[in-house]
Amino acid sequence: MEKAFLVGVNLNDGEDYLLSLEELDALAQACDMEVVGIAEQTLPEVHKAYYIGTGKVDEVKEMAMDCGADVIIFDNSLSPMQLRNLQERLEKPVLDRSTLILDIFAGRARSREAKLQVEVARLQYMLPRLVGLHAALGRQGGGTGSLSNKGAGEKKLELDRRVLERRLTQLRRELKEVGEERQTQRKRRAGSGMPRVALVGYTNAGKSTLLNAMLDLYGSDETDVEEKKVMEKDMLFATLDTTVRKIAPDNHHAFLLSDTVGFIHKLPHNLVEAFHSTLEEAKEASLLLQVVDYSDPHYKEQIAVTNQTLRELGADGIPMIYVYNKADLVSPDKIPGMAGAEPEQVTAALPQVTENSIYLSAKERIGMEELIGLIEKKLAGGYLECTLLVPYTDGRVVSYLNENGVVSRTEYLEEGVKMWVNCRMEDYYFYQKYHVESDG
């Protein structure tokens, strides 16, 4: 296991700085590294050449050597010049936060689309930093002129750059094709008439756990529920691939639920850009469920990061429910109306529901029915109650309404099937010719 030494700079960021440094430790562990030391410095602004002060560079070099560190990791993105200068002065491999996140994504990507997206982001980040990444390739010749006049190290860099640029062009072409396929799938799902609900939120807040809980309780096909589940694990970025599943609770409207990639403080811009087509699932949703790890002391900062990322994606205007997950793990005083209660009383009393939020535990399956009710209430604007009399010759309409609406009562009369149904407005207008007055 590699040993990592962390370096953080506090630019008067307050709580954000502490949160960021804690996350850097967790990111290193997610890369199977052992954190052996941390150096911190407070600065009014970062040093242009070294990110940290020149004196601090020597101190970090000595501390990292004493700790037996194999790699030094900085809690921010380093410019190409900073990376090159630090590699030369520290005489150890240097990584930054963005590289670490990209490495985690590369190891966790499973679908073809996710792998393509991660590789695009990595190449975009690597290209301007080739000199720093190839610190061992010293320039043996200098000057200007043609490639043939350059030293071996410079030739190597130029060739690497050309290879990476060709690969990047090829990847973008493949990613465009995959994106078009995803758009076709999205249009097909839109044509199904079911509303789309997207899970968003900070990494490791419990989105995958919530999706699996929904499948357990309300999966549309019990025979393959286990196959449709996603991996859930207590780690940063456990899942990257966007998953869409049909949720069909009894006596409630069915909807499509999508699980998207988690967000994090200082998420690399290249990564957001590369995953843009995947994150379109959130942008085109009818409703967002922002899953929040309520047991995390920094949950408010995590909400702020998620909301900022949604703004950047253009998804901030979509109706949202705040799902305060892991509420069974927190102090009773933190949950509205539960101050002074015993932990078991809090668990028994979950969930606390407001107009736009709910406190629950997806892992313990507490509050799921209440969440379904809140989702339905938020989506209710697109539905109406009606009574239809469908001739027996139009049996497909009866089947459609049973599958896509909520039928509260059915009567089989001589002239056809009379149905009391709560359905989408679009469906009502389409089948309006079957409308009859309700007799109670």
Side-chain angles (χ1 to χ4, degrees), residues 228-298:
K228 290 184 176 181
K229 285 186 177 181
V230 296
M231 183 180 80
E232 56 179 89
K233 196 170 183 180
D234 186 14
M235 65 165 58
L236 302 182
F237 301 115
T239 55
L240 299 182
D241 300 309
T242 295
T243 304
V244 181
R245 298 290 184 260
K246 181 180 177 181
I247 306 299
D250 291 338
N251 301 318
H252 293 280
H253 291 286
F255 57 88
L256 296 174
L257 182 65
S258 60
D259 181 17
T260 59
V261 64
F263 306 139
I264 196 170
H265 196 55
K266 301 177 186 175
L267 188 65
H269 176 73
N270 287 342
L271 206 51
V272 175
E273 186 179 282
F275 272 76
H276 198 271
S277 64
T278 302
L279 293 170
E280 288 288 329
E281 293 290 346
K283 189 176 177 180
E284 297 187 8
S286 310
L287 176 68
L288 300 179
L289 303 184
Q290 183 174 162
V291 184
V292 180
D293 179 357
Y294 195 53
S295 67
D296 192 304
H298 301 293

Side-chain angles (χ1 to χ4, degrees), residues 313-384:
L313 291 169
D316 52 320
I318 300 172
M320 182 187 296
I321 296 173
Y322 289 89
V323 181
Y324 292 103
N325 190 30
K326 308 182 187 180
D328 56 317
L329 303 179
V330 305
S331 165
D333 296 339
K334 281 185 63 178
I335 302 178
M338 299 304 298
E342 295 297 324
E344 56 270 19
Q345 291 176 307
V346 175
T347 303
L350 287 175
Q352 298 282 323
V353 183
T354 68
E355 183 180 353
N356 297 308
S357 65
I358 182 170
Y359 299 81
L360 52 72
S361 172
K363 184 177 181 180
E364 300 299 329
R365 308 298 194 255
I366 299 173
M368 303 304 296
E369 187 63 30
E370 288 80 0
L371 177 59
I372 290 293
L374 195 53
I375 291 172
E376 179 132 338
K377 186 177 179 181
K378 282 289 184 181
L379 296 173
Y383 294 89
L384 55 77

Side-chain angles (χ1 to χ4, degrees), residues 101-122:
I101 293 175
L102 289 167
D103 283 348
I104 293 173
F105 271 55
R108 305 274 167 80
R110 293 293 176 267
S111 71
R112 176 170 174 254
E113 182 178 24
K115 289 177 180 178
L116 289 172
Q117 289 167 325
V118 173
E119 191 173 354
V120 165
R122 292 183 82 183

Side-chain angles (χ1 to χ4, degrees), residues 402-417:
N402 274 312
E403 185 174 348
N404 296 281
V406 177
V407 179
S408 58
R409 182 177 162 195
T410 302
E411 285 186 8
Y412 295 91
L413 307 177
E414 184 177 340
E415 56 270 42
V417 182

Side-chain angles (χ1 to χ4, degrees), residues 2-6 28 33-38 68-73:
E2 271 193 312
K3 295 182 178 180
F5 187 87
L6 310 184
M33 296 180 181
E34 177 189 357
V35 176
V36 294
I38 300 177
D70 302 305
V71 61
I72 299 173
I73 307 173

Side-chain angles (χ1 to χ4, degrees), residues 81-98:
M81 180 178 66
Q82 289 168 343
L83 179 61
R84 181 180 66 249
N85 293 342
L86 286 167
Q87 294 250 153
E88 290 175 354
R89 286 280 298 272
L90 295 174
E91 298 179 350
K92 285 185 182 294
V94 175
L95 301 177
D96 61 13
R97 184 187 183 92
S98 294

